[in-house]
Amino acid sequence: MNIPAPGRGIADIGVTGMAVMGSNLARNLAHKGFKVAIHNRTATKTQAVMASHGSEGEFFPCESMADFVASLSVPRVAIIMVKAGAATDAVIDELADLMEPGDIIVDCGNANYHDTRRREEAIRARGLHFVGAGVSGGEEGALKGPSIMPGGTEDSYRRLGPMFEKISAHVDGVPCCTHVGPDGAGHFVKMVHNGIEYSDMQLIAEAYDLMRKALGMSAPEIGKVFEEWNKTELGSYLIEITADVLQHVDPDTGKPLVDVILDRASQKGTGAWTVQNAAELGVPVTGIAEATFARSLSGGLAQREAARDMLEAHTIDTPLDDSTAFIEAIRQALYASKMVAYSQGFELIRSASAEYGWNVDMGAMARIWRGGCIIRAVFLNRITEAFERDARLPLLLADPYFAGEASNAVQSWRWVVSYAALNGIPVPAFASSLSYYDGVRAENLPANLIQGQRDFFGAHTYLRTDKPGIYHTLWSGDRSQEKQG
């Protein structure tokens, strides 16, 4: 099949990159009444999309990038949905060479926000707009309504906003899309979203593992528990699909599918980006970090095999007389640890917003995550309410609602973590989240000793609790104290 000549200056918006996410996003736009130009480097993919879905809306298939750009109405909007990295840069450059001042290039793929900031600066110098937009919801979300997190200029959002808001998911009539902030803000927020997703999934997996190993429950039985949990404040997309996955039967063996899946979890890098950028900004995203490292640990099959042969457990068998009570304790530990993950994630967004002058609306971020995205959950409404009560809330966990919920859960949380430790069941995300909770609420931390050590070996100085100034002790001399500032 030959691609017909495209319309000239007719399409409202264009999408280049016709893999599943790109084609589904284009179809979503067409379903909502927009005229959509579509393009792919390999024309056969464009042809395939037209053959399968061409009747779903008004599409303008284009064989060349020049025809693609020519088909767009002014100011032109072109969405890129290609592989991250060099491929994205190549497509951006090709588009920019064909576009005119005021036109808009939108990267809707996962991209490191540093790359987005670099690209935005370069494209702005050419008189064009560049928008890094996070899109969450997977293939189904792209087609039926994702959560969309666009960065870029306010001018670009005035052109993009009506289209993106229309195709996004809606909750209570409110679109799950808003202008996040300038340059890389959109991709940064999407990165944090993915980091929270890593944590959420690891916490759910630890809850499953505890029921399996501590209580001897089968996968379908645990699936039923998650079904019930989905009716509580834990109600969310991830809890819902967990119940489904655990109760699914493998057609080849008749066993629960989860029992025949290799216990090695993959990752595409956004979790690691979150941890790296948190370290750069000095924000302790410990729950997200442990979830990311847990995936790395799962992939070290040779190391795990060697450890099994050599490392003794020396566990202390602790009987569980009331399995129902322990299941409820696991639920409480999951809920409390989930609160920590979101609190840390929002603190990371706040820190980056201050660093780069993005002025991100924290409550709005929770609001646009309520639908369409992977971490959509009932309790996101509570986060929105917390930031509506106090837009400058220094810590989500310190909001009266979340502080009360954490207080109600903490005894169960401690029981679960201590039981797991005594019985040799790894719960890195549960344990690190509890440790963060105790750390952030502590009146004193042992960092005073660390600062003393740093001053001893590196003359890094220290502050005192009893008087102002910066001090250094002459450790290798007479050990007298000097005021240095």
Side-chain angles (χ1 to χ4, degrees), residues 386 389-390 393 395-406:
R389 281 191 290 271
D390 182 359
L393 181 67
L395 183 74
L396 181 61
L397 282 174
D399 171 75
Y401 173 81
F402 286 103
E405 292 294 278

Side-chain angles (χ1 to χ4, degrees), residues 88-113:
T88 300
D89 281 314
V91 174
I92 290 169
D93 288 341
E94 188 176 5
L95 279 169
D97 287 342
L98 295 165
M99 285 182 151
E100 298 173 342
D103 290 348
I104 304 168
I105 299 172
V106 188
D107 178 10
C108 283
N110 278 331
N112 190 304
Y113 84 101

Side-chain angles (χ1 to χ4, degrees), residues 43-210:
T44 52
K45 280 197 173 183
T46 308
Q47 294 167 357
V49 171
M50 290 301 297
S52 299
H53 308 292
S55 63
E56 295 178 8
E58 200 165 356
F59 293 102
F60 295 86
C62 303
E63 191 160 350
S64 71
M65 189 66 85
D67 283 340
F68 175 69
V69 172
S71 72
L72 301 172
S73 61
V74 177
R76 302 172 184 88
V77 178
I79 293 175
I80 299 171
M81 290 294 283
V82 299
K83 187 176 180 180
T88 300
D89 281 314
V91 174
I92 290 169
D93 288 341
E94 188 176 5
L95 279 169
D97 287 342
L98 295 165
M99 285 182 151
E100 298 173 342
D103 290 348
I104 304 168
I105 299 172
V106 188
D107 178 10
C108 283
N110 278 331
N112 190 304
Y113 84 101
H114 289 298
D115 289 335
T116 303
R117 298 189 78 225
R118 167 181 58 79
R119 291 163 179 159
E120 193 276 337
E121 183 179 14
I123 292 302
R124 178 166 25 94
R126 300 179 65 170
L128 306 172
H129 295 281
F130 183 79
V131 174
V135 177
S136 178
E139 297 172 8
E140 184 178 1
L143 179 62
K144 297 181 179 178
S147 173
I148 310 178
M149 296 150 259
T153 63
E154 291 183 3
D155 283 345
S156 63
Y157 192 76
R158 277 190 282 273
R159 174 81 168 93
L160 283 172
M163 291 186 282
F164 277 4
E165 289 178 15
K166 192 169 183 180
I167 68 167
S168 73
H170 285 65
V171 176
D172 300 328
V174 178
C176 294
C177 173
T178 192
H179 182 226
V180 176
D183 57 74
H187 274 151
F188 189 93
V189 167
K190 174 57 162 56
M191 176 196 74
V192 175
H193 164 286
N194 285 20
I196 293 171
E197 178 186 310
Y198 271 54
S199 183
D200 217 343
M201 293 174 73
Q202 176 64 24
L203 292 167
I204 289 170
E206 290 178 15
Y208 149 79
D209 203 36
L210 280 161

